[in-house]
Amino acid sequence: MKTPFPSYLQRFQRVLRHIDEHLGEGLGLDVLAGVAAFSPHHFHRQFTALLGVPPGRYVQLVRLKRATWRLAFRDAPVLEVALDSGYQGPEAFTRAFRQQTGQSPSAFRRQPDWAAWQAGYRPVSDIRRNFMTDAFAPVRVIDAPDIPVAVLEHRGDPATLGDSVRSFIQWRRAAGLAPRLSATYNIFHDDPDQTDPADFRLDICAAAARVPANDLGVRAGIIPGGRCAVLRHVGTDEGFGAAIRHLYADWLPSSGQDLRDFPLYCQRVAFFPDVPEHEAITDIFLPLK
C-alpha cells in the first residue's frame, strides 16, 4: 500500500482522536464522516480500506477495551459500564462482551482471560501503533531524588501483566495508597519485544515510606536518585515503545551522555481508563551518569 498524503492521513487521525474523546456519545457513521469531512458512503469505504476494520467495529472495540479496564481495575457496576459503552442495558452488553472475549463481564471481572482479550483487540492495537503517532516532546535532563517505593515484581509473560496489576491495586487499596496520594511507577528490566515471555521482568511500584508485611508479595524498594533524561509521552501505550526507541536511538547518541547502571523506568502521571487513552501521560526516565 502506498503511503497516504499527510493531509489525508490527518483526517483519519482526527477521527480516531474524536472517538477516544467521545466514547460515551453517539459515534454513528454520519458523525465520524463529518469529522473527517467526507461523505458517509465514501468515508465507510475509505476508513475500512485504510485501517482494515469498518468504523463501527473499531468504535465497538475501543469501547469494549475501556469496559474491560474498568471491570478489571475499577469497581464500577456492570450496568454503569454497559451504559457508558453505548449499550441500552446489560443484556446487549453481555452478549457483545462475551462474543469478543469468550467471558461474561462478571466472569472477566473475577478472572480475566487476557490472552483472549489481546487476540481480539489486536486490530485496534495495530491501528493505534501505525496511525496515531505524534511528535516527540523535548527531552529534559534533571536530577531526580531517591524514591522509596512499594514494589510488586512481575515475572513472566507480558500478556499476564494485568493479573499483577490487579494484585497491586488490591494492596494499594488495603494500604490506603490511592494513585492520587502515591505516585505510580514501572521499572522496565526487559524489552518485551526482545525477551522470551517466560523471562520478562517488570516492577510495579508506588511511592511509599514503609511497606507492612503482606501476603501479596509487595516489598519495600527504592528508585535511586541521580541524573535522568526525561521524555513525556502523551498518548496510548501503543506509542510507548516508539518513545523509548526515540530516547535510545535518537536522543542518546547525539546527547554526549552515558547511561547509569539502573533500568529505564517511568511514572504514570495520568492513566487510562481514568482519562481517555490518547490523554494518558507517562514520564519516561533514562538514568544517566
Side-chain angles (χ1 to χ4, degrees):
M1 181 182 70
K2 294 183 179 179
T3 303
F5 285 110
S7 60
Y8 182 86
L9 185 59
Q10 287 168 4
R11 294 163 83 170
F12 287 93
Q13 291 172 332
R14 190 162 66 239
V15 171
L16 299 180
R17 286 181 173 80
H18 181 88
I19 291 170
D20 278 352
E21 292 170 355
H22 300 87
L23 280 180
E25 304 173 21
L27 292 171
L29 188 62
D30 288 347
V31 171
L32 299 183
V35 173
F38 290 121
S39 72
H41 174 77
H42 290 298
F43 171 75
H44 187 279
R45 290 177 177 269
Q46 289 166 298
F47 188 102
T48 305
L50 180 63
L51 303 183
V53 296
R57 177 60 173 159
Y58 179 87
V59 170
Q60 182 190 46
L61 287 172
V62 175
R63 282 174 167 164
L64 286 175
K65 180 180 180 180
R66 186 178 65 170
T68 61
W69 257 237
R70 295 186 69 196
L71 290 169
F73 305 128
R74 301 294 183 266
D75 291 330
V78 172
L79 176 59
E80 179 183 318
V81 174
L83 296 176
D84 285 349
S85 300
Y87 294 89
Q88 297 301 312
E91 295 81 9
F93 173 65
T94 296
R95 283 196 302 273
F97 195 91
R98 190 188 298 276
Q99 289 173 353
Q100 181 62 27
T101 67
Q103 294 180 283
S104 70
S106 297
F108 186 90
R109 168 163 275 170
R110 288 193 300 271
Q111 188 172 1
D113 183 344
W114 293 110
W117 162 249
Q118 290 178 1
Y121 186 73
R122 189 164 292 120
V124 172
S125 182
D126 290 342
I127 288 170
R128 291 180 176 277
R129 187 175 294 108
N130 294 328
F131 294 99
M132 291 188 74
T133 55
D134 292 308
F136 299 113
V139 177
R140 300 175 292 126
V141 176
I142 67 167
D143 287 315
D146 289 343
I147 307 169
V149 289
V151 182
L152 180 64
E153 302 174 357
H154 175 84
R155 300 294 182 267
D157 194 338
T160 65
L161 180 60
D163 292 332
S164 296
V165 172
R166 282 159 61 89
S167 294
F168 195 67
I169 290 174
Q170 180 182 345
W171 178 85
R172 291 184 81 153
R173 287 172 175 165
L177 289 177
R180 62 183 175 82
L181 302 174
S182 170
T184 303
Y185 299 91
N186 296 144
I187 302 174
F188 300 92
H189 295 276
D190 298 301
D191 180 348
D193 295 329
Q194 304 293 328
T195 306
D196 187 282
D199 298 327
F200 177 73
R201 300 173 300 152
L202 179 144
D203 293 340
I204 307 168
C205 309
R210 56 184 297 272
V211 180
N214 60 88
D215 297 327
L216 293 171
V218 179
R219 60 170 178 82
I222 191 164
I223 298 176
R227 296 178 68 250
C228 290
V230 184
L231 172 62
R232 171 156 288 192
H233 169 64
V234 180
T236 68
D237 275 354
E238 282 83 6
F240 194 73
I244 292 175
R245 286 191 296 273
H246 170 66
L247 268 177
Y248 278 110
D250 300 327
W251 181 83
L252 184 62
S254 63
S255 70
Q257 304 284 343
D258 292 321
L259 296 179
R260 185 158 35 102
D261 188 19
F262 188 78
L264 177 138
Y265 66 96
C266 76
Q267 179 183 353
R268 303 285 185 173
V269 179
F271 39 87
F272 179 75
D274 302 323
V275 300
E277 277 196 276
H278 74 288
E279 294 179 3
I281 301 172
T282 307
D283 286 338
I284 307 170
F285 293 78
L286 186 63
L288 304 172
K289 288 184 179 179

